[in-house]
Every structure is written in C-alpha cells, then in structure tokens.
Amino acid sequence: MGMARGGNKDAEAAHAPQPPAGRRRRSRWHWLWKLPLALVLLSVAQVLVLRFVDPPFTSFMAIRQFEALGAGDTGFRIAYDWRDLEAIAPSLPLSVVAAEDQDFARHRGFDIRAIERALEHNARGGRIRGGSTISQQLAKNLFLWGGRSWVRKGAEAWYTVLIETLWPKRRILEVYVNVAEFGDGIYGAQAAARSYWGKDAGALGANESARLAAVLPSPRRYSAHRPGPYVQRRARWIERNVRNLGGEAWLEALE
C-alpha cells in the first residue's frame, strides 16, 4: 500500500502543470537586472567611505605593484605615506591646481572649456593634451585603470560625479595630492618629499612643489628631482599661475 501511495504521488507530480518555458527562462535570468544595481550601490559605498577614511592604497598602486611582480622585480615597493592637507606645504596643492585644473574651485567635476581647448590643440598635432580635471584624475587613480577605452571613460565619469557630489573640494584636493604619482612607484606628497629631498611634505618649497606638479601627468617620463628643460620651464609657469590664483588665500577659501 505504501508503494502504491508513493507511485500515485510520483504520477501526480509528473502530470502537474509546468510553468511555460518563457517563464522558466525569465526566472533563471531574473538576477541580471540586480547586477547593475549592485555595482551602483558598491560604487556609492566606496566613495562615501573614502569621504571619511584615508585610502590605504589605490587601484593604480595595486596595478603598479602587480606589474613589478610580473616583471620579476620582487624587491619593488610602493612608496606611500598619507599626510593630512594641513601637514602638507600649501605650495604643493596650489601648484597642482595651477598646473592641472585652474577652475577646480568652480566646476562640478568636468571642465567643458578645458576639454574643448584640448581637442582643438590635439587636432593641430604635437604633444597630446588632456582635458581631465583633478576630480576625474582622482576617480581614475583611486578606482580604475589606465587606457582610453569608452568603458573606462564611462566609469571615470560616474565616479567623478559621485566624488563631486559626496565630497567637499578640500577633501578632493587632499586625497589627490596624497595619491598622485610623482615618480615610478612614488605616490603622494610625503613619499615624494622624502624620496627626492629627504624632508617632510610640510617643508616643501615653492619651486620643489612646482617641479612635482610639473611632472604630472607623466611622472615616469619626467623627473622632479633632476628636472630637464621642459620641467624647469613648466615649473616657472606654474609658480606664476600660483600667484595668479591668489596664493594661500585661495586655498584657505576652498570649502
């Protein structure tokens, strides 16, 4: 009798109505719409946390370390030592703004005029000029990778919007001068000051700061420590632009 009841149950299950094939496929892939949402929430969480927590490393640092390991350079070490903005000589953040993004205090992450000027310049040929703001460069350095793919540029734009929305300008500048690469494997103001001049970032002079800013965004091509003619000319131009910004008063007014 037990076997008969079991057989009846199996038969009933076999003849039970099955969901249509289309519904089965939809249920199998229903989680796909959740993936973009999860990525959005993850990116928001990343940016929000780093608004208050100093980053222990960046994606660019991790990539550079893996490149060294892949090349068999097991002795390579990233130089990185965080310093709050107040512990860095004002001349360095001012030099970075003067060199990279003079409208930093006014724009919301994207400088349309700078992009248009860069496109016009590049169309004429010669040295390629970028139109990225400090916020865009920070988004790339913190979370992404190098290259010029549309995927990477799209992700950069998204992170830039988040950074500009969730962080004040002073925090953006503070993080940038701490994670920007100023030499091969040398990241941030403190590591650069110690590596090149044996001093703390708070003791950097105006010319030293201008030379550090002058090697951006090609710190492996140019040297702030032993500057060639190009870096020397650019450093002088940066020092003039720092004065045009208004010097330390500009930095003190930044919110």
Side-chain angles (χ1 to χ4, degrees):
M1 295 292 290
M3 290 181 61
R5 285 196 296 271
N8 290 338
K9 290 180 180 179
D10 292 340
E12 291 172 1
H15 292 290
Q18 299 294 319
R23 188 183 302 173
R24 289 200 301 271
R25 284 194 294 270
R26 285 196 298 272
S27 63
R28 187 180 304 162
W29 298 104
H30 76 282
W31 58 270
L32 278 180
W33 70 268
K34 297 181 180 179
L35 183 58
L37 178 60
L39 292 175
V40 167
L41 294 176
L42 175 61
S43 61
V44 171
Q46 286 177 306
V47 175
L48 191 57
V49 167
L50 293 181
R51 161 69 176 85
F52 305 101
V53 178
D54 302 331
F57 65 93
T58 69
S59 65
F60 267 40
M61 294 179 197
I63 290 168
R64 182 64 189 95
Q65 188 66 62
F66 280 119
E67 286 176 349
L69 292 174
D73 187 0
T74 56
F76 180 85
R77 294 290 182 274
I78 294 294
Y80 171 57
D81 191 1
W82 178 274
R83 287 294 185 275
D84 291 341
L85 193 61
E86 293 74 19
I88 298 172
S91 57
L92 181 59
L94 284 168
S95 293
V96 167
V97 170
E100 298 282 284
D101 189 359
Q102 294 175 38
D103 285 330
F104 172 72
R106 293 186 290 272
H107 66 63
R108 297 305 302 167
F110 305 94
D111 190 337
I112 304 303
R113 289 181 299 173
I115 294 172
E116 291 173 346
R117 289 195 299 268
L119 291 174
E120 292 173 1
H121 172 85
N122 297 340
R124 293 193 297 268
R127 189 191 303 274
I128 298 295
R129 178 184 297 173
S132 295
T133 64
I134 284 175
S135 302
Q136 288 176 275
Q137 294 177 51
L138 178 59
K140 179 180 66 176
N141 291 353
L142 271 178
F143 304 110
L144 304 171
W145 61 93
R148 296 180 179 274
S149 72
W150 287 108
V151 172
R152 206 273 294 159
K153 292 299 290 184
E156 177 189 297
W158 169 245
Y159 274 108
T160 299
V161 169
L162 291 181
I163 287 171
E164 283 279 349
T165 301
L166 298 175
W167 295 9
K169 288 287 188 176
R170 285 187 68 85
R171 179 60 174 174
I172 295 172
L173 190 56
E174 178 181 55
V175 176
Y176 183 70
V177 296
N178 270 284
V179 304
E181 187 177 21
F182 292 110
D184 188 11
I186 299 172
Y187 294 87
Q190 178 66 9
R194 296 299 301 170
S195 298
Y196 296 143
W197 297 291
K199 60 174 68 175
D200 288 329
L204 285 169
N207 183 254
E208 292 164 340
S209 295
R211 283 154 60 182
L212 286 173
V215 304
L216 299 173
S218 302
R220 301 183 200 178
R221 180 179 180 183
Y222 301 111
S223 171
H225 187 216
R226 295 182 176 86
Y230 166 75
V231 171
Q232 293 179 37
R233 287 195 307 272
R234 184 161 170 78
R236 290 193 294 270
W237 175 82
I238 289 169
E239 288 189 77
R240 290 195 298 271
N241 281 342
V242 167
R243 292 192 290 271
N244 292 337
L245 280 175
E248 292 188 34
W250 181 93
L251 190 61
E252 291 169 0
L254 190 66
E255 296 180 355

